[in-house]
Coordinates of all heavy atoms in Angstrom, one line a residue:
M1 N 66.4 39.1 128.8 CA 66.3 37.9 129.6 C 65.1 37.1 129.2 O 64.0 37.6 129.2 CB 66.3 38.2 131.1 CG 66.1 37.1 132.0 SD 65.8 37.4 133.7 CE 67.1 38.5 134.2
N2 N 65.3 35.8 128.9 CA 64.2 34.9 128.6 C 63.8 34.1 129.8 O 64.7 33.5 130.5 CB 64.6 34.0 127.5 CG 64.7 34.7 126.2 OD1 64.1 35.7 125.9 ND2 65.5 34.2 125.3
L3 N 62.6 34.1 130.2 CA 62.1 33.3 131.3 C 61.2 32.2 130.8 O 60.4 32.4 129.9 CB 61.3 34.2 132.3 CG 62.0 35.3 133.0 CD1 61.1 36.1 133.9 CD2 63.1 34.7 133.9
N4 N 61.4 31.0 131.4 CA 60.4 30.0 131.1 C 59.6 29.7 132.3 O 59.9 30.3 133.4 CB 61.1 28.7 130.5 CG 62.1 28.1 131.5 OD1 61.8 28.0 132.7 ND2 63.3 27.7 131.1
A5 N 58.6 28.8 132.3 CA 57.7 28.6 133.4 C 58.5 28.1 134.6 O 58.1 28.4 135.8 CB 56.7 27.6 133.0
A6 N 59.6 27.4 134.5 CA 60.3 26.9 135.6 C 61.1 28.1 136.3 O 61.5 27.9 137.5 CB 61.4 25.9 135.2
D7 N 61.2 29.3 135.7 CA 61.9 30.4 136.3 C 61.0 31.4 137.0 O 61.4 32.4 137.4 CB 62.7 31.2 135.2 CG 63.8 30.4 134.6 OD1 64.3 29.5 135.4 OD2 64.2 30.6 133.5
I8 N 59.7 31.0 137.2 CA 58.8 31.9 137.8 C 58.3 31.2 139.2 O 57.9 30.1 139.2 CB 57.5 32.1 136.9 CG1 58.0 32.8 135.6 CG2 56.5 33.0 137.6 CD1 56.9 32.9 134.6
L9 N 58.5 32.0 140.3 CA 58.1 31.5 141.6 C 56.6 31.9 141.8 O 56.2 33.0 141.6 CB 58.9 32.2 142.7 CG 60.3 31.7 143.0 CD1 60.9 32.6 144.0 CD2 60.2 30.3 143.5
R10 N 55.8 30.9 142.1 CA 54.4 31.1 142.3 C 53.9 30.3 143.5 O 54.5 29.4 144.0 CB 53.6 30.6 141.1 CG 53.8 31.4 139.9 CD 52.7 31.2 138.9 NE 52.8 32.1 137.8 CZ 53.0 31.7 136.5 NH1 53.1 30.4 136.2 NH2 53.1 32.6 135.6
G11 N 52.8 30.8 144.1 CA 52.1 30.1 145.1 C 53.0 29.7 146.3 O 53.7 30.6 146.8
E12 N 52.9 28.5 146.8 CA 53.6 28.1 148.0 C 55.1 28.2 147.9 O 55.8 28.5 148.8 CB 53.2 26.6 148.3 CG 53.6 26.2 149.7 CD 53.0 26.9 150.8 OE1 51.8 27.4 150.7 OE2 53.6 27.0 151.9
A13 N 55.6 27.9 146.7 CA 57.1 28.0 146.5 C 57.5 29.4 146.7 O 58.6 29.7 147.3 CB 57.5 27.5 145.1
R14 N 56.8 30.4 146.2 CA 57.1 31.8 146.4 C 57.1 32.2 147.9 O 58.0 32.8 148.4 CB 56.2 32.7 145.6 CG 56.6 34.2 145.8 CD 55.8 35.1 144.9 NE 54.4 35.0 145.2 CZ 53.5 35.6 144.5 NH1 53.8 36.3 143.4 NH2 52.2 35.5 144.9
Q15 N 56.0 31.7 148.6 CA 55.9 32.0 150.0 C 57.1 31.5 150.8 O 57.6 32.2 151.6 CB 54.6 31.4 150.6 CG 53.3 31.9 149.8 CD 53.1 33.4 149.7 OE1 53.5 34.1 150.6 NE2 52.6 33.8 148.6
E16 N 57.4 30.2 150.5 CA 58.5 29.6 151.2 C 59.9 30.3 150.9 O 60.7 30.5 151.8 CB 58.7 28.1 150.8 CG 57.5 27.3 151.4 CD 57.6 25.8 150.9 OE1 58.7 25.4 150.5 OE2 56.6 25.1 151.0
A17 N 60.1 30.7 149.7 CA 61.3 31.4 149.3 C 61.4 32.7 150.0 O 62.5 33.0 150.6 CB 61.4 31.6 147.8
L18 N 60.3 33.5 150.0 CA 60.4 34.8 150.7 C 60.5 34.7 152.2 O 61.3 35.5 152.8 CB 59.1 35.6 150.3 CG 59.0 36.0 148.9 CD1 57.7 36.7 148.6 CD2 60.2 36.9 148.5
L19 N 59.9 33.7 152.8 CA 60.1 33.5 154.2 C 61.5 33.1 154.6 O 62.1 33.7 155.5 CB 59.2 32.4 154.8 CG 57.7 32.8 155.0 CD1 56.9 31.6 155.3 CD2 57.6 33.9 156.0
D20 N 62.1 32.3 153.8 CA 63.5 31.9 154.0 C 64.5 33.0 153.8 O 65.4 33.3 154.5 CB 63.9 30.7 153.1 CG 65.3 30.2 153.4 OD1 65.5 29.8 154.5 OD2 66.1 30.2 152.5
L21 N 64.2 33.8 152.7 CA 65.1 35.0 152.4 C 65.0 36.0 153.6 O 66.0 36.6 154.0 CB 64.6 35.6 151.2 CG 64.9 34.8 149.9 CD1 64.1 35.4 148.7 CD2 66.4 34.8 149.6
C22 N 63.8 36.2 154.2 CA 63.7 37.1 155.3 C 64.4 36.5 156.6 O 65.1 37.3 157.3 CB 62.2 37.4 155.6 SG 61.4 38.4 154.4
E23 N 64.2 35.3 156.8 CA 64.8 34.7 158.0 C 66.4 34.8 157.9 O 67.0 35.0 159.0 CB 64.5 33.2 158.1 CG 63.1 33.0 158.6 CD 62.7 31.5 158.6 OE1 63.5 30.6 158.3 OE2 61.5 31.2 158.8
R24 N 66.9 34.7 156.8 CA 68.4 34.7 156.6 C 68.9 36.1 156.3 O 70.1 36.3 156.1 CB 68.8 33.8 155.5 CG 68.6 32.3 155.9 CD 69.1 31.3 154.9 NE 68.5 31.4 153.6 CZ 69.1 31.5 152.4 NH1 70.4 31.5 152.4 NH2 68.4 31.6 151.3
K25 N 68.0 37.1 156.3 CA 68.3 38.5 156.0 C 69.2 38.6 154.7 O 70.1 39.3 154.6 CB 69.1 39.1 157.2 CG 68.4 39.0 158.5 CD 67.2 39.9 158.6 CE 66.7 39.9 160.1 NZ 65.5 39.3 160.3
Q26 N 68.7 37.9 153.7 CA 69.4 37.9 152.4 C 69.4 39.2 151.7 O 68.5 40.0 151.8 CB 68.9 36.8 151.5 CG 69.2 35.4 151.9 CD 70.7 35.1 151.9 OE1 71.3 34.9 152.9 NE2 71.3 35.2 150.8
R27 N 70.4 39.4 150.8 CA 70.5 40.6 150.0 C 69.5 40.6 148.9 O 69.2 39.5 148.4 CB 71.9 40.8 149.5 CG 72.8 41.2 150.6 CD 74.2 41.4 150.0 NE 75.1 41.8 151.1 CZ 76.4 41.8 151.0 NH1 76.9 41.4 149.9 NH2 77.1 42.1 152.0
C28 N 69.1 41.8 148.5 CA 68.3 41.9 147.3 C 68.6 43.3 146.7 O 69.3 44.1 147.3 CB 66.8 41.8 147.6 SG 66.1 43.1 148.7
L29 N 68.1 43.5 145.5 CA 68.2 44.8 144.8 C 66.9 45.4 144.6 O 66.0 44.7 144.2 CB 68.9 44.6 143.5 CG 70.4 44.3 143.5 CD1 70.9 44.0 142.0 CD2 71.2 45.4 144.1
L30 N 66.8 46.7 144.9 CA 65.6 47.5 144.5 C 66.0 48.3 143.3 O 67.0 49.0 143.4 CB 65.1 48.4 145.6 CG 64.7 47.7 146.9 CD1 64.3 48.7 148.0 CD2 63.7 46.7 146.7
T31 N 65.4 48.1 142.2 CA 65.9 48.7 140.9 C 64.8 49.6 140.3 O 63.6 49.2 140.2 CB 66.4 47.7 139.9 OG1 65.3 46.8 139.5 CG2 67.5 46.8 140.5
T32 N 65.2 50.7 139.8 CA 64.4 51.6 138.9 C 65.1 51.6 137.6 O 66.2 51.0 137.4 CB 64.3 53.0 139.5 OG1 65.6 53.7 139.3 CG2 64.0 53.1 140.9
P33 N 64.5 52.2 136.6 CA 65.3 52.3 135.3 C 66.6 53.0 135.4 O 67.5 52.8 134.5 CB 64.3 53.1 134.4 CG 63.0 52.8 135.0 CD 63.2 52.7 136.5
Y34 N 66.8 53.7 136.5 CA 68.1 54.5 136.6 C 69.0 54.2 137.8 O 70.1 54.7 137.9 CB 67.7 56.0 136.7 CG 66.7 56.5 135.7 CD1 65.4 56.6 136.0 CD2 67.1 56.7 134.4 CE1 64.4 57.0 135.1 CE2 66.2 57.0 133.4 CZ 64.8 57.2 133.8 OH 63.9 57.6 132.8
L35 N 68.5 53.3 138.6 CA 69.2 53.1 139.9 C 69.0 51.7 140.4 O 68.0 51.1 140.2 CB 68.6 54.1 140.9 CG 69.2 54.1 142.3 CD1 70.6 54.6 142.3 CD2 68.3 55.1 143.2
A36 N 70.0 51.1 141.1 CA 69.9 49.9 141.8 C 70.4 50.1 143.2 O 71.6 50.5 143.4 CB 70.7 48.8 141.1
L37 N 69.6 49.7 144.2 CA 70.0 49.9 145.6 C 70.1 48.5 146.2 O 69.2 47.7 146.3 CB 68.8 50.6 146.3 CG 68.5 52.0 145.8 CD1 67.2 52.5 146.4 CD2 69.6 53.0 146.2
E38 N 71.3 48.3 146.8 CA 71.5 47.0 147.5 C 70.7 47.1 148.8 O 70.8 48.1 149.6 CB 73.0 46.8 147.8 CG 73.2 45.4 148.4 CD 74.7 45.1 148.5 OE1 75.4 45.2 147.5 OE2 75.0 44.6 149.5
S39 N 69.9 46.1 149.1 CA 69.1 46.1 150.3 C 69.1 44.7 150.9 O 69.7 43.8 150.4 CB 67.6 46.5 149.9 OG 67.6 47.7 149.2
R40 N 68.3 44.6 152.0 CA 68.2 43.3 152.7 C 66.8 43.0 153.0 O 66.0 43.9 153.5 CB 69.0 43.2 154.0 CG 70.5 43.2 153.7 CD 71.2 42.8 155.0 NE 72.6 42.8 154.8 CZ 73.3 41.7 154.4 NH1 72.7 40.6 154.1 NH2 74.6 41.8 154.2
F41 N 66.4 41.7 152.9 CA 65.1 41.3 153.4 C 65.1 41.3 154.9 O 66.1 40.9 155.5 CB 64.8 39.8 152.9 CG 64.5 39.7 151.5 CD1 65.4 39.3 150.6 CD2 63.2 39.9 151.0 CE1 65.1 39.2 149.2 CE2 62.9 39.8 149.7 CZ 63.8 39.4 148.8
I42 N 64.1 41.8 155.5 CA 64.0 41.9 157.0 C 62.9 40.9 157.5 O 63.2 40.1 158.3 CB 63.7 43.3 157.5 CG1 64.8 44.2 157.0 CG2 63.5 43.3 159.0 CD1 66.2 43.9 157.6
E43 N 61.7 41.1 157.1 CA 60.6 40.2 157.5 C 59.4 40.3 156.5 O 59.3 41.2 155.7 CB 60.1 40.5 158.9 CG 59.4 41.8 159.0 CD 58.9 42.1 160.5 OE1 58.5 41.1 161.2 OE2 58.9 43.3 160.9
R44 N 58.6 39.3 156.7 CA 57.4 39.2 155.9 C 56.1 39.3 156.8 O 56.1 38.5 157.8 CB 57.4 37.9 155.1 CG 56.1 37.8 154.2 CD 56.2 36.7 153.3 NE 55.0 36.6 152.7 CZ 54.8 36.8 151.4 NH1 55.8 37.0 150.6 NH2 53.6 36.7 150.9
R45 N 55.2 40.1 156.5 CA 53.9 40.2 157.2 C 52.8 40.0 156.2 O 52.5 41.0 155.4 CB 53.8 41.5 157.9 CG 54.8 41.8 159.0 CD 54.5 43.1 159.7 NE 55.5 43.4 160.7 CZ 55.6 44.5 161.2 NH1 54.9 45.5 160.9 NH2 56.6 44.7 162.2
E46 N 52.2 38.9 156.2 CA 51.1 38.5 155.2 C 51.6 38.8 153.8 O 52.5 38.2 153.4 CB 49.9 39.3 155.6 CG 49.3 38.9 156.9 CD 48.0 39.6 157.3 OE1 47.4 40.2 156.4 OE2 47.7 39.6 158.5
Q47 N 51.1 39.8 153.1 CA 51.5 40.1 151.7 C 52.5 41.2 151.6 O 52.9 41.6 150.5 CB 50.3 40.4 150.9 CG 49.3 39.3 150.7 CD 49.9 38.1 150.0 OE1 50.6 38.2 149.0 NE2 49.7 36.9 150.6
E48 N 53.0 41.7 152.7 CA 54.0 42.7 152.7 C 55.4 42.2 153.1 O 55.6 41.4 153.9 CB 53.6 43.8 153.7 CG 52.3 44.5 153.4 CD 51.9 45.5 154.4 OE1 52.7 45.8 155.4 OE2 50.8 46.0 154.3
L49 N 56.4 42.8 152.5 CA 57.8 42.5 152.8 C 58.4 43.8 153.4 O 58.2 44.9 152.9 CB 58.6 42.2 151.5 CG 58.4 40.9 150.9 CD1 59.2 40.8 149.6 CD2 58.9 39.8 151.8
R50 N 59.2 43.6 154.5 CA 60.0 44.7 155.0 C 61.4 44.5 154.5 O 62.0 43.4 154.7 CB 59.9 44.7 156.5 CG 58.5 44.9 157.0 CD 58.4 45.0 158.5 NE 59.2 46.1 158.9 CZ 59.1 46.8 160.0 NH1 58.2 46.5 160.8 NH2 59.8 47.8 160.3
I51 N 61.9 45.6 154.0 CA 63.2 45.5 153.4 C 64.0 46.7 153.9 O 63.5 47.8 154.0 CB 63.1 45.6 151.8 CG1 62.4 44.3 151.3 CG2 64.5 45.8 151.2 CD1 62.1 44.3 149.9
K52 N 65.3 46.4 154.3 CA 66.2 47.5 154.8 C 67.0 48.0 153.6 O 67.7 47.2 152.9 CB 67.1 46.9 155.9 CG 67.9 48.0 156.5 CD 68.7 47.4 157.7 CE 69.5 48.5 158.4 NZ 70.1 48.0 159.6
T53 N 67.0 49.3 153.5 CA 67.9 50.0 152.5 C 68.5 51.2 153.1 O 68.1 51.7 154.2 CB 67.0 50.3 151.2 OG1 67.9 50.7 150.2 CG2 66.0 51.3 151.5
Q54 N 69.4 51.8 152.4 CA 70.2 53.0 152.9 C 69.6 54.3 152.5 O 70.3 55.3 152.3 CB 71.6 52.8 152.5 CG 72.3 51.6 153.1 CD 72.4 51.7 154.6 OE1 72.6 52.7 155.2 NE2 72.1 50.5 155.3
L55 N 68.3 54.4 152.2 CA 67.7 55.7 151.8 C 67.0 56.3 153.0 O 66.4 55.6 153.8 CB 66.7 55.4 150.7 CG 67.2 55.1 149.3 CD1 66.0 54.8 148.4 CD2 68.0 56.2 148.7
G56 N 67.1 57.6 153.1 CA 66.3 58.3 154.0 C 64.8 58.4 153.6 O 64.5 58.1 152.4
P57 N 63.9 58.9 154.4 CA 62.5 59.0 154.1 C 62.2 59.8 152.8 O 61.5 59.4 152.0 CB 61.8 59.6 155.3 CG 62.9 59.8 156.3 CD 64.2 59.4 155.8
D58 N 62.8 61.0 152.7 CA 62.6 61.8 151.5 C 63.1 61.2 150.2 O 62.4 61.2 149.2 CB 63.2 63.2 151.7 CG 62.5 64.0 152.8 OD1 61.3 63.7 153.1 OD2 63.1 64.9 153.4
S59 N 64.3 60.6 150.3 CA 64.9 59.9 149.2 C 64.1 58.7 148.8 O 63.8 58.5 147.6 CB 66.3 59.5 149.4 OG 67.1 60.6 149.6
A60 N 63.6 58.0 149.7 CA 62.8 56.8 149.4 C 61.5 57.2 148.8 O 61.1 56.6 147.8 CB 62.5 56.0 150.7
R61 N 60.8 58.2 149.3 CA 59.6 58.6 148.6 C 59.8 59.1 147.2 O 59.1 58.9 146.3 CB 58.9 59.7 149.5 CG 58.1 59.1 150.6 CD 57.2 60.2 151.3 NE 58.0 61.1 152.1 CZ 58.5 60.9 153.3 NH1 58.2 59.8 153.9 NH2 59.2 61.8 153.9
H62 N 60.9 59.9 147.1 CA 61.2 60.5 145.7 C 61.6 59.4 144.8 O 61.2 59.3 143.6 CB 62.2 61.6 145.9 CG 62.6 62.1 144.5 ND1 61.8 63.0 143.8 CD2 63.7 62.0 143.8 CE1 62.4 63.3 142.7 NE2 63.6 62.7 142.6
T63 N 62.5 58.5 145.2 CA 63.1 57.5 144.3 C 62.2 56.3 144.1 O 62.1 55.9 142.9 CB 64.5 57.0 144.9 OG1 65.3 58.1 145.1 CG2 65.2 56.1 144.0
L64 N 61.6 55.8 145.1 CA 60.8 54.6 145.0 C 59.3 54.8 145.0 O 58.5 54.0 144.5 CB 61.2 53.6 146.1 CG 62.6 53.3 146.2 CD1 62.9 52.4 147.5 CD2 63.1 52.6 145.0
G65 N 58.9 56.0 145.5 CA 57.4 56.2 145.6 C 56.8 56.8 144.4 O 55.5 56.7 144.3
R66 N 57.5 57.3 143.5 CA 56.9 57.9 142.3 C 57.0 57.1 141.0 O 56.5 57.6 140.0 CB 57.6 59.3 142.1 CG 57.4 60.2 143.2 CD 58.0 61.5 142.9 NE 57.7 62.5 144.0 CZ 58.3 63.7 144.0 NH1 59.1 64.1 143.1 NH2 58.0 64.4 145.1
Q67 N 57.6 56.0 141.0 CA 57.7 55.3 139.8 C 57.7 53.8 140.1 O 58.1 53.4 141.2 CB 59.0 55.6 139.0 CG 60.3 55.4 139.9 CD 61.5 56.0 139.2 OE1 61.5 56.3 138.0 NE2 62.5 56.2 139.9
P68 N 57.4 53.0 139.1 CA 57.4 51.5 139.4 C 58.9 51.1 139.6 O 59.8 51.7 139.0 CB 56.9 50.9 138.1 CG 56.4 52.0 137.2 CD 56.9 53.3 137.8
F69 N 59.1 50.2 140.4 CA 60.4 49.6 140.6 C 60.3 48.1 140.8 O 59.2 47.6 141.0 CB 61.2 50.3 141.8 CG 60.7 50.1 143.1 CD1 61.2 49.2 144.0 CD2 59.6 50.8 143.6 CE1 60.7 49.0 145.3 CE2 59.1 50.7 144.9 CZ 59.7 49.7 145.7
K70 N 61.5 47.4 140.7 CA 61.5 46.0 140.9 C 62.3 45.6 142.1 O 63.2 46.3 142.5 CB 62.1 45.3 139.6 CG 61.2 45.5 138.4 CD 61.7 44.7 137.2 CE 60.7 44.8 136.1 NZ 61.2 44.0 135.0
I71 N 62.0 44.4 142.6 CA 62.9 43.8 143.6 C 63.5 42.6 142.9 O 62.8 41.8 142.2 CB 62.1 43.4 144.8 CG1 63.0 42.7 145.9 CG2 60.9 42.4 144.5 CD1 62.3 42.5 147.2
R72 N 64.8 42.5 143.0 CA 65.5 41.4 142.4 C 66.3 40.6 143.4 O 66.9 41.2 144.3 CB 66.5 41.9 141.3 CG 65.9 42.7 140.2 CD 67.0 43.2 139.2 NE 66.4 44.1 138.2 CZ 65.9 43.6 137.1 NH1 65.9 42.4 136.8 NH2 65.4 44.5 136.2
F73 N 66.2 39.3 143.4 CA 66.9 38.5 144.4 C 67.2 37.1 143.8 O 66.6 36.7 142.8 CB 66.0 38.3 145.6 CG 64.7 37.6 145.3 CD1 64.5 36.3 145.4 CD2 63.6 38.4 145.0 CE1 63.3 35.7 145.1 CE2 62.4 37.8 144.7 CZ 62.2 36.5 144.8
S74 N 68.2 36.5 144.4 CA 68.6 35.1 143.9 C 68.0 34.1 144.8 O 67.9 34.3 146.1 CB 70.1 34.9 143.8 OG 70.6 35.1 145.1
W75 N 67.5 33.0 144.3 CA 67.0 31.9 145.0 C 67.4 30.6 144.3 O 67.1 30.5 143.1 CB 65.4 32.0 145.1 CG 64.8 30.9 145.8 CD1 64.0 29.9 145.2 CD2 64.9 30.5 147.2 NE1 63.6 29.0 146.2 CE2 64.1 29.4 147.4 CE3 65.5 31.1 148.3 CZ2 64.0 28.8 148.6 CZ3 65.3 30.5 149.5 CH2 64.6 29.4 149.7
G76 N 68.1 29.8 145.0 CA 68.6 28.6 144.3 C 69.7 29.1 143.4 O 70.6 29.9 143.7
L77 N 69.6 28.7 142.1 CA 70.6 29.1 141.1 C 70.0 30.1 140.1 O 70.6 30.3 139.1 CB 71.2 27.9 140.4 CG 71.9 26.9 141.3 CD1 72.3 25.7 140.5 CD2 73.1 27.5 141.9
T78 N 68.9 30.8 140.5 CA 68.2 31.6 139.6 C 68.0 33.0 140.2 O 67.8 33.1 141.4 CB 66.8 31.0 139.2 OG1 67.0 29.7 138.7 CG2 66.1 31.8 138.2
M79 N 68.1 34.0 139.3 CA 67.7 35.4 139.7 C 66.3 35.6 139.4 O 65.9 35.3 138.3 CB 68.6 36.4 139.0 CG 70.0 36.6 139.5 SD 70.1 37.2 141.2 CE 69.6 38.9 141.0
Y80 N 65.5 36.1 140.3 CA 64.1 36.4 140.1 C 63.9 37.9 140.3 O 64.7 38.6 140.9 CB 63.3 35.7 141.2 CG 63.3 34.2 141.0 CD1 64.1 33.5 141.8 CD2 62.4 33.6 140.1 CE1 64.1 32.1 141.7 CE2 62.4 32.2 140.0 CZ 63.3 31.5 140.8 OH 63.3 30.1 140.6
A81 N 62.9 38.5 139.6 CA 62.6 39.9 139.7 C 61.0 40.0 139.6 O 60.4 39.2 138.9 CB 63.3 40.7 138.6
G82 N 60.5 41.0 140.2 CA 59.1 41.3 140.1 C 58.8 42.8 140.4 O 59.5 43.4 141.3
Q83 N 57.9 43.3 139.8 CA 57.5 44.7 140.1 C 56.8 44.8 141.5 O 56.1 43.9 141.9 CB 56.5 45.2 139.0 CG 56.4 46.7 139.1 CD 55.8 47.3 137.8 OE1 55.8 46.7 136.8 NE2 55.1 48.4 137.9
T84 N 57.1 45.9 142.2 CA 56.6 46.1 143.5 C 56.3 47.6 143.7 O 56.5 48.4 142.8 CB 57.5 45.5 144.6 OG1 56.9 45.5 145.8 CG2 58.8 46.2 144.7
R85 N 55.9 47.9 144.9 CA 55.6 49.4 145.2 C 56.0 49.6 146.7 O 55.9 48.7 147.5 CB 54.2 49.7 144.9 CG 53.2 49.0 145.7 CD 51.8 49.3 145.1 NE 50.8 48.4 145.7 CZ 50.0 48.7 146.7 NH1 50.0 50.0 147.2 NH2 49.2 47.8 147.2
L86 N 56.2 50.9 146.9 CA 56.5 51.4 148.3 C 55.2 51.6 149.0 O 54.3 52.3 148.6 CB 57.3 52.7 148.2 CG 57.7 53.3 149.5 CD1 58.8 52.4 150.2 CD2 58.3 54.7 149.3
L87 N 55.1 50.9 150.2 CA 53.9 51.1 151.0 C 54.1 52.1 152.2 O 53.2 52.7 152.7 CB 53.4 49.8 151.6 CG 53.0 48.7 150.6 CD1 52.6 47.4 151.3 CD2 51.8 49.2 149.8
G88 N 55.4 52.2 152.6 CA 55.7 53.1 153.7 C 57.2 53.1 154.0 O 57.9 52.4 153.3
Y89 N 57.6 53.9 155.0 CA 59.0 54.0 155.3 C 59.1 54.1 156.8 O 58.3 54.8 157.4 CB 59.6 55.2 154.7 CG 61.0 55.4 155.0 CD1 62.0 54.8 154.1 CD2 61.5 56.0 156.1 CE1 63.3 54.9 154.4 CE2 62.8 56.1 156.4 CZ 63.8 55.6 155.5 OH 65.1 55.7 155.8
E90 N 60.0 53.4 157.4 CA 60.2 53.5 158.9 C 61.7 53.6 159.1 O 62.5 53.0 158.4 CB 59.8 52.2 159.6 CG 58.3 52.0 159.6 CD 57.9 50.6 160.2 OE1 58.7 50.1 161.0 OE2 56.8 50.2 160.0
Q91 N 62.1 54.3 160.1 CA 63.5 54.4 160.5 C 63.7 53.6 161.8 O 62.8 53.6 162.7 CB 63.9 55.8 160.8 CG 64.2 56.6 159.6 CD 64.8 58.0 159.9 OE1 64.2 58.7 160.7 NE2 65.8 58.3 159.2
D92 N 64.8 52.9 161.9 CA 65.0 52.1 163.1 C 65.5 53.1 164.2 O 65.6 54.3 164.0 CB 66.0 51.0 162.9 CG 67.4 51.4 162.5 OD1 67.7 52.6 162.7 OD2 68.2 50.5 162.1
E93 N 65.7 52.5 165.4 CA 66.0 53.3 166.6 C 67.4 54.0 166.4 O 67.7 55.0 167.1 CB 66.0 52.5 167.9 CG 67.0 51.3 167.9 CD 66.5 50.1 167.2 OE1 65.3 50.0 166.7 OE2 67.3 49.1 167.0
K94 N 68.2 53.6 165.5 CA 69.5 54.2 165.3 C 69.4 55.3 164.2 O 70.4 55.8 163.7 CB 70.5 53.2 164.9 CG 70.8 52.2 166.0 CD 71.8 51.2 165.6 CE 72.0 50.2 166.7 NZ 72.9 49.1 166.3
G95 N 68.2 55.5 163.7 CA 68.0 56.6 162.7 C 68.3 56.1 161.3 O 68.5 56.9 160.4
R96 N 68.4 54.8 161.1 CA 68.7 54.2 159.7 C 67.4 53.8 159.1 O 66.5 53.4 159.6 CB 69.6 53.0 159.8 CG 71.0 53.4 160.3 CD 71.9 52.3 160.3 NE 72.5 52.1 161.6 CZ 73.2 51.1 162.0 NH1 73.3 50.1 161.2 NH2 73.7 51.0 163.1

């Protein structure tokens, strides 16, 4: 995939895009070299994103906590991706 400067979200544009994606609970992919997990944006807290995925705590730590992974999402007519890392894991009140 070739990216040009127009295909990179930076600064205020990135902040606005991530806030909008969280407000609308948009889908995203968490990808490793071996796996792609469909997930959803939940909320943004300063520099952290909360994302809902269907992994349990042990699977999340093993799959996402030990290797670099990327978050991929569409914004406008472009797919964006960036490397990220797992900061923690929480289960909701329904055990998901």
Side-chain angles (χ1 to χ4, degrees):
M1 174 191 306
N2 292 332
L3 294 177
N4 62 44
D7 292 334
I8 299 173
L9 278 174
R10 291 198 174 117
E12 191 65 31
R14 180 174 63 187
Q15 305 305 326
E16 289 177 20
L18 293 173
L19 283 173
D20 186 59
L21 291 164
C22 289
E23 286 176 6
R24 294 186 294 128
K25 309 287 191 248
Q26 287 298 116
R27 290 183 178 165
C28 62
L29 289 174
L30 301 180
T31 62
T32 71
Y34 311 104
L35 181 66
L37 300 165
E38 189 171 312
S39 305
R40 288 196 182 270
F41 286 98
I42 300 297
E43 71 178 321
R44 181 171 173 117
R45 292 184 185 166
E46 297 178 19
Q47 294 300 313
E48 297 178 7
L49 286 173
R50 294 184 65 154
I51 295 173
K52 184 175 185 175
T53 190
Q54 297 296 318
L55 288 177
D58 293 334
S59 296
R61 279 189 289 278
H62 178 73
T63 305
L64 302 175
R66 295 185 179 171
Q67 58 189 342
F69 67 99
K70 290 185 178 185
I71 183 171
R72 297 179 187 273
F73 59 92
S74 63
W75 177 251
L77 299 175
T78 304
M79 283 295 291
Y80 294 96
Q83 194 164 335
T84 191
R85 63 189 169 101
L86 180 68
L87 296 176
Y89 181 92
E90 296 177 14
Q91 283 185 311
D92 65 15
E93 61 277 354
K94 296 177 184 176
R96 294 187 232 167

